[in-house]
Amino acid sequence: VSRAHDTYVVAAGGSLHGRFTVPGDKSISHRALMLGAIAEGRSVVRGFLESEDTLATRRALEAMGVAFESRDATLGVHGVGLHGLRPPAGPLDLGNSGTSLRLLSGLLAGQGFAVTLTGDASLMRRPMGRVVAPLAAMNARIACSADGTPPVSIDASPGLRGIRYALPVASAQVKSAVLLAGLYADGETCVSEPAPSRDHTERMLARFGVPIEREGGRACVRGGATLTATEVDVPADLSSAAFFMVGAAIGAGSRITIDNVGVNPTRTGVVEILRLMGADIVLHHPRTLGGEPVADIEARCGDLRGVEIPPELVPLAIDEFPALLVAAACARGRTRLTGAGELRVKESDRIAAMAEGLHGLGIETEVAPDGITVIGGALRGGEVDSRGDHRVAMAFAMAALRAEGEIRIARCRNVATSFPGFAALARRAGLRIR
Ligand code: S3P
């Protein structure tokens, strides 16, 4: 990919308009692939997200003998049953996808074969001790490198034991890895979390017929359950919709509706935070689709003010802070984010990436180990390095709606990990992006 093809150039100004939808939910798509793979029978996944990250999961499962067929946005998964995966010929490369690597660690911890999980330069820097520790406590033969990063290597399982595990951080990936390993463990596996994180794994296990007990912040499964193939409807990804919601909130005169978006309450922190800031966001026709809450989201330009972001909303908006910090830059006054140290270990260090990018556009910030304060002001044009982080790239693209000059964003190729077609869709909605 040449440098020019990896750069967004976004002209200043404009507004967003129209009614459209965004691609399928990434978290739910990964889970549909994995649970479909170990189910009995053929599952059908409608609205599946075809992106680089979900493709990484699909390829890994194909390497272990699972067959898929896709037509339009519908995916067929030929389940091989709980014990039907076969040893892959070589290491599984999960690209940029932390969800693939962490959830597959759990799924593969209980198999009768050895496997190694790797990824791209960004993924090779991300912490894996958080999944290795509980899986090892379940008797898995699993290790990562001495500094806690990939590759993750797993030996043939000597037999897993159920565990009661209290997550040290609210992480849906760790919770999911332990629950997936629990399907292969003797007895009961229970995970409890310090604060709610996305619960798509729990909901989807139930859809595949696995008895899952949920109470308070705890979820329990028993080993040896049979998963039965099912139909999964994947809603549009709220995390992708969030860029357009922020774009509409900051772009003068904007008004958009995004159809069929997942609004699972463990994900809707972005809606609440934007409303606290004064944005005009309405959820129309709330309904349930395949066990997940869905709505059509209308967003209009509003007069934004800076806020203290309530810490309890942080895990519920964890992927939306690049976009929310752009909204903060356009708000009157200061927006303070705390309790968000997890942002430092995402696809990039998102606190550093956003501080640097905003600084380059003339916005003042104060950085802390676990957060950032953004002082709203006038956005100039300029150059931003997305650091190869899809969400940083898309957030700064939307910033151009309020900038005084053109914004050039480098290293945008990874937008395809979660949002293929972002630039084309944004252009149709009114962003002057090329
Ligand atoms: C995800 C969980 C979150 C989120 C990621 C997707 C998932 O990560 O940031 O984009 O699908 O389970 P953590 O579990 O590390 O918080």
Side-chain angles (χ1 to χ4, degrees):
V1 178
S2 71
R3 201 170 171 276
H5 284 100
D6 198 19
T7 299
Y8 286 150
V9 180
V10 196
S15 55
L16 300 184
H17 289 281
R19 182 162 198 151
F20 51 88
T21 190
V22 295
D25 188 275
K26 180 152 76 74
S27 293
I28 297 175
S29 293
H30 280 297
R31 288 154 171 82
L33 289 171
M34 292 185 204
L35 297 191
I38 57 166
E40 307 275 348
R42 180 175 178 275
S43 294
V44 173
V45 189
R46 284 182 290 263
F48 176 73
L49 170 68
E50 299 251 10
S51 72
E52 291 299 326
D53 276 11
T54 52
L55 208 56
T57 292
R58 175 177 164 166
R59 284 203 198 100
L61 293 166
E62 280 171 342
M64 293 183 286
V66 183
F68 299 91
E69 85 262 347
S70 48
R71 196 192 300 161
D72 304 322
T74 299
L75 184 79
V77 187
H78 295 269
V80 295
L82 199 57
H83 297 288
L85 295 176
R86 294 200 304 263
L92 301 176
D93 181 349
L94 287 328
N96 194 242
S97 179
T99 307
S100 306
L101 204 154
R102 295 207 180 102
L103 269 60
L104 285 173
S105 295
L107 184 67
L108 299 177
Q111 306 293 331
F113 54 81
V115 55
T116 300
L117 308 176
T118 67
D120 71 5
S122 154
L123 188 52
M124 294 304 278
R125 285 192 294 267
R126 298 182 64 188
M128 295 300 149
R130 53 178 65 192
V131 286
V132 168
L135 296 173
M138 296 174 80
N139 202 37
R141 297 288 176 262
I142 184 168
C144 54
S145 73
D147 60 356
T149 57
V152 169
S153 45
I154 303 173
D155 275 339
S157 168
L160 301 184
R161 291 186 295 263
I163 188 181
R164 284 173 188 276
Y165 190 65
L167 292 176
V169 287
S171 163
Q173 292 178 355
V174 178
K175 174 176 65 175
S176 300
V178 174
L179 289 173
L180 292 173
L183 298 175
Y184 292 87
D186 270 341
E188 197 179 39
T189 295
C190 293
V191 235
S192 56
E193 41 188 2
S197 69
R198 66 193 68 196
D199 65 356
H200 306 301
T201 300
E202 296 92 309
R203 287 172 187 257
M204 204 180 291
L205 280 169
R207 271 198 86 73
F208 277 86
V210 176
I212 173 155
E213 262 175 56
R214 302 183 62 187
E215 209 194 298
R218 207 168 79 129
C220 303
V221 293
R222 286 195 156 273
T226 298
L227 285 78
T228 306
T230 187
E231 303 198 346
V232 178
D233 284 288
V234 182
D237 198 326
L238 178 60
S239 295
S240 295
F243 300 105
F244 288 89
M245 290 158 59
V246 166
I250 65 174
S254 294
R255 179 175 182 177
I256 57 168
T257 301
I258 313 168
D259 284 322
N260 209 35
V261 185
V263 289
N264 180 313
T266 59
R267 296 282 296 279
T268 47
V270 62
V271 175
E272 291 177 56
I273 295 167
L274 282 174
R275 281 179 177 158
L276 283 176
M277 296 178 78
D280 183 357
I281 294 177
V282 184
L283 304 193
H284 294 288
H285 308 119
R287 57 203 184 265
T288 303
L289 181 68
E292 288 279 351
V294 165
D296 306 323
I297 300 181
E298 181 179 8
R300 294 197 221 200
C301 187
D303 187 17
L304 301 185
R305 54 183 175 269
V307 295
E308 292 270 335
I309 295 173
E312 67 276 13
L313 292 182
V314 170
L316 309 180
I318 195 65
D319 289 340
E320 283 61 77
F321 287 106
L324 285 166
L325 295 175
V326 164
C330 301
R332 252 176 308 106
R334 303 162 70 90
T335 296
R336 197 160 79 105
L337 169 64
T338 56
E342 279 294 302
L343 293 182
R344 296 219 179 253
V345 291
K346 294 296 178 188
E347 288 82 329
S348 71
D349 175 342
R350 287 183 175 161
I351 292 175
M354 292 307 298
E356 179 190 77
L358 289 172
H359 179 77
L361 301 178
I363 297 294
E364 256 184 82
T365 63
E366 292 159 11
V367 164
D370 74 333
I372 182 171
T373 297
V374 175
I375 296 113
L379 280 165
R380 298 194 298 255
E383 301 232 357
V384 172
D385 180 3
S386 77
R387 302 188 180 196
D389 185 322
H390 55 139
R391 301 202 197 279
V392 173
M394 290 185 274
F396 280 112
M398 290 297 173
L401 289 161
R402 271 283 275 277
E404 288 157 4
E406 174 184 282
I407 299 182
R408 299 176 70 90
I409 308 153
R411 292 203 274 166
C412 295
R413 183 169 28 144
N414 279 338
V415 165
T417 63
S418 68
F419 200 152
F422 166 74
L425 181 62
R427 202 178 308 119
R428 279 203 297 279
L431 192 69
R432 297 162 180 169
I433 183 170
R434 60 189 165 85

